[in-house]
Amino acid sequence: MPAWLLALDRHFPIRYLTLTLAAVCALLGAFVWVGFSRFGWLALLGAAAVVIGVRDLMQSRHAVLRNYPVIGHLRFLLEWIRPEMRQYFIETDREAIPFSRQQRSLVYQRSKGESDKRPFGTQLDVHETGYEWMNHSMQPTTIASHDFRVMIGDSPGSRCRQPYSASLFNISAMSFGALSANAILALNAGALRGNFAHDTGEGSISQHHRVHGGDLIWEIGSGYFGCRNDDGSFSETKFVENATQPQVKMIELKLSQGAKPGHGGVLPGAKVTPEIAAARGVPEGIDCVSPSSHSAFSSPVQMLRFMDRLRELSGGKPVGFKFCVGHPWEWFALAKAMVETDLLPDFIVVDGAEGGTGAAPLEFTDHVGAPLQEGLRLVHNTLVGLNLRERIRIGCAGKVVSAFDILRMVAIGADWCNAARGFMFALGCIQAQHCHTGACPTGVTTQDPLRQRALVVPDKAERVYRFHQMTLEALKELVQAAGLQHPEQVTTAHIVRRTSDHATRLLSNLLPTVKPGGLLAAERGEVDWPHTVFKMHWPHSRADSWQPSAGGSAA
């Protein structure tokens, strides 16, 4: 800074220059206005700036405004528009924060029915550590249809009487309340046309879920919305009313979600509208609480018995649970309870910590819960090691938007994949990240009637349908290229990862693998434990408690 400017600043702080100029404009404008009846707007503008500046000096909330009256507001304006400026002008096509422009564009193009082809080769650095590809065959196959299905609830010994044929790609859990009415309508209409499932989220089944009649997976969380008594406890009577509806195809008990595992939630009373209150079975205008844990059971065995009861009350529909993997011994306790009681869930949905449609504290978003790859592999390996894998289907969710994402998750251990944000992009979401503010610019995550009018249901339903269809069509082409007949044949031996600039390895050699019955054999002392996590935690896990026995990791 020049010496003369420093000297001036000592006698008259230049940070007040904007306020001074505002005062001068107000005085000159007033003089000209009175004398010549012109430039009255200048006087009003200057006076308004002076009023703002004086208010800035007197307020005590923002230090920046006290030191930089008037012009300090520019800082807050730039901070407000920073995410949009970064997205449109700064970030590259491949920066995934949380989804890259390339990923979003793929969804937009497929949902609009536009070409999703890319010219001039890949934009990825194929020599970068972590780059992955699928090995193809010199004898590609021909598959008649892209409508890949998986049967849930039809395994030998299953207590399910109404198995469900699910698509390999479905809509993940997003509640009415988190999403707008028009978003729910469009998602369900798209699901109906494409013959795939729509997970309700723990906000239960709203009137908007019922309009089009698309298949529903009813998610039940710790608040028991849609099946609760006035005190928040589980109500069998209300459960039966919803669970026996033909539109409900499966029941999903939510233990935790990837966005905020182990964290409950409160919907403020001001946001509990009549529609939300009716769907959740709670009083209108009163805070709606989702506890961090369930009250209907307190041990793994009790949980399995509760789920078996849900299956019976629903008329034999598939019942499973969703969770984000946390303490390994708790999952092992649940697995042991399955072996001891033979009360098996029909399915398990593994939610990765990279999931994110639910707004959550930053610490939970960034540092709580296992990512999808590790969580899914642990669940798959455990069931294989207990000879239960053929009796329990596994779904997964966590940043799945492309056909390769689906292929990779199936290779790691999933039977099907769910997507939330991918289908939000199909609805028109632009990743503005205002989901929790009620000010969604595209009407997807808002309850503002005017804002959600921007989301035209018939048009967006068609986009949801096309995104699903074109993604599965791309999956079919990948499976054909691998020389296979169905995605279920894909294994970790088909995926290669670069581990350095001069080395690559198959995922089958990188990810832990357990042989069928391997855990049972290790428990009997016939073989070594297949992996350190089993050696450390399996002996101390208990079917009758979430807590490990003495000497365990939580002791």
Side-chain angles (χ1 to χ4, degrees):
M1 187 179 292
W4 67 269
L5 202 55
L6 290 172
L8 175 62
D9 190 54
R10 284 195 297 269
H11 295 88
F12 179 79
I14 59 175
R15 62 180 183 272
Y16 295 143
L17 186 59
T18 305
L19 178 58
T20 302
L21 290 175
V24 170
C25 286
L27 291 174
L28 287 178
F31 175 76
V32 175
W33 189 14
V34 172
F36 304 96
S37 299
R38 301 177 63 185
F39 296 105
W41 60 269
L42 183 62
L44 294 175
L45 185 63
V50 169
V51 171
I52 292 173
V54 171
R55 177 182 177 278
D56 291 343
L57 290 171
M58 297 179 65
Q59 59 85 36
S60 59
R61 185 178 180 184
H62 300 290
V64 169
L65 296 181
R66 285 174 69 89
N67 274 332
Y68 297 88
V70 184
I71 198 172
H73 289 278
L74 184 61
R75 181 258 182 193
F76 295 100
L77 173 64
L78 293 175
E79 184 181 55
W80 184 46
I81 65 174
R82 179 183 180 276
E84 287 79 7
M85 298 294 289
R86 174 180 174 80
Q87 181 180 136
Y88 292 119
F89 300 110
I90 299 175
E91 73 176 30
T92 67
D93 285 348
R94 292 175 51 203
E95 286 184 80
I97 310 177
F99 284 85
S100 69
R101 180 69 194 177
Q102 193 173 70
Q103 289 172 308
R104 300 195 305 272
S105 294
L106 179 66
V107 179
Y108 297 149
Q109 288 163 346
R110 287 179 173 169
S111 64
K112 295 175 184 177
E114 298 175 354
S115 174
D116 57 358
K117 306 300 185 288
R118 293 285 191 276
F120 230 65
T122 181
Q123 296 182 15
L124 302 178
D125 181 359
V126 298
H127 298 289
E128 182 180 24
T129 299
Y131 172 74
E132 292 182 342
W133 69 91
M134 179 196 76
N135 280 337
H136 65 282
S137 171
M138 294 200 305
Q139 293 184 310
T141 56
T142 300
I143 302 174
S145 171
H146 62 269
D147 186 24
F148 301 115
R149 316 295 296 183
V150 54
M151 285 298 298
I152 304 171
D154 69 335
S155 61
S158 173
R159 300 162 71 90
C160 176
R161 301 191 301 276
Q162 299 185 50
Y164 177 58
S165 176
S167 170
L168 210 67
F169 189 40
N170 301 286
I171 301 171
S172 195
M174 295 180 284
S175 300
F176 169 61
L179 297 189
S180 68
N182 283 9
I184 295 294
L185 288 167
L187 288 173
N188 197 255
L192 175 67
R193 182 174 177 192
N195 193 24
F196 56 100
H198 178 191
D199 194 312
T200 65
E202 71 170 308
S204 193
I205 307 170
S206 71
Q207 65 187 56
H208 309 293
H209 287 95
R210 307 177 198 270
V211 172
H212 297 291
D215 290 353
L216 293 179
I217 300 173
W218 182 20
E219 182 178 275
I220 299 175
S222 56
Y224 305 115
F225 300 131
C227 55
R228 58 184 273 147
N229 295 309
D230 292 340
D231 61 357
S233 60
F234 176 73
S235 168
E236 288 193 356
T237 302
K238 293 179 180 178
F239 172 81
V240 171
E241 292 176 4
N242 277 325
T244 54
Q245 295 177 14
Q247 188 182 358
V248 175
K249 302 302 182 182
M250 300 201 299
I251 314 297
E252 178 181 275
L253 188 66
K254 173 191 166 185
L255 301 183
S256 58
Q257 67 184 92
K260 47 182 178 182
H263 191 280
V266 177
L267 184 65
K271 294 185 177 181
V272 182
T273 64
E275 289 178 316
I276 292 176
R280 302 192 177 196
V282 298
E284 178 186 345
I286 304 298
D287 288 355
C288 181
V289 179
S290 295
S292 56
S293 61
H294 282 262
S295 60
F297 53 86
S298 59
S299 73
V301 170
Q302 289 180 12
M303 173 181 154
L304 294 179
R305 288 173 178 162
F306 177 67
M307 292 174 61
D308 190 53
R309 179 61 176 160
L310 295 183
R311 186 185 295 110
E312 179 184 345
L313 292 171
S314 69
K317 294 180 178 180
V319 175
F321 65 90
K322 179 182 86 170
F323 79 131
C324 177
V325 174
H327 292 312
W329 61 83
E330 293 181 343
W331 158 239
F332 293 160
L334 191 50
K336 281 188 174 182
M338 295 179 198
V339 174
E340 290 187 12
T341 64
D342 200 38
L343 297 175
L344 306 184
D346 297 299
F347 65 92
I348 299 172
V349 175
V350 181
D351 217 14
E354 54 269 69
T357 56
L362 183 64
E363 294 84 357
F364 280 80
T365 298
D366 289 348
H367 302 292
V368 180
L372 181 54
Q373 174 178 285
E374 287 69 27
L376 174 59
R377 194 63 178 174
L378 180 64
V379 171
H380 170 75
N381 278 338
T382 303
L383 296 180
V384 169
L386 297 174
N387 288 328
L388 295 177
R389 185 62 183 88
E390 297 302 318
R391 300 176 62 188
I392 301 174
R393 297 295 189 180
I394 299 179
C396 72
K399 294 191 76 171
V400 175
V401 294
S402 73
F404 183 77
D405 294 336
I406 298 174
L407 188 85
R408 189 178 184 280
M409 291 302 108
V410 172
I412 291 174
D415 291 301
W416 84 89
C417 295
N418 296 331
R421 287 169 291 182
F423 282 100
M424 286 174 65
F425 292 141
L427 289 172
C429 169
I430 59 174
Q431 195 171 272
Q433 300 183 61
H434 293 314
C435 311
H436 60 300
T437 66
C440 173
T442 58
V444 178
T445 61
T446 179
Q447 297 304 306
D448 184 335
L450 292 178
R451 285 183 177 271
Q452 62 178 292
R453 281 185 60 199
L455 198 159
V456 180
V457 174
D459 175 64
K460 302 308 181 186
E462 181 68 18
R463 293 191 183 191
V464 168
Y465 164 75
R466 280 197 294 253
F467 169 57
H468 177 266
Q469 294 295 300
M470 293 188 70
T471 301
L472 287 184
E473 182 66 36
L475 177 63
K476 184 187 81 169
E477 293 175 351
L478 286 177
V479 175
Q480 290 176 157
L484 306 173
Q485 292 293 337
H486 194 279
E488 66 185 7
Q489 297 174 282
V490 179
T491 69
T492 48
H494 290 92
I495 310 293
V496 188
R497 178 185 296 173
R498 181 173 293 284
T499 55
S500 70
D501 59 355
H502 61 275
T504 64
R505 296 182 67 184
L506 293 173
L507 279 190
S508 57
N509 296 326
L510 285 172
L511 299 182
T513 301
V514 176
K515 295 180 179 180
L519 284 181
L520 297 175
E523 196 171 32
R524 293 191 298 265
E526 298 171 1
V527 298
D528 292 335
W529 291 101
H531 192 270
T532 304
V533 68
F534 297 107
K535 181 179 180 179
M536 288 181 61
H537 303 300
W538 186 268
H540 304 290
S541 59
R542 303 162 47 192
D544 64 341
S545 174
W546 300 111
Q547 297 299 319
S549 60
S553 299

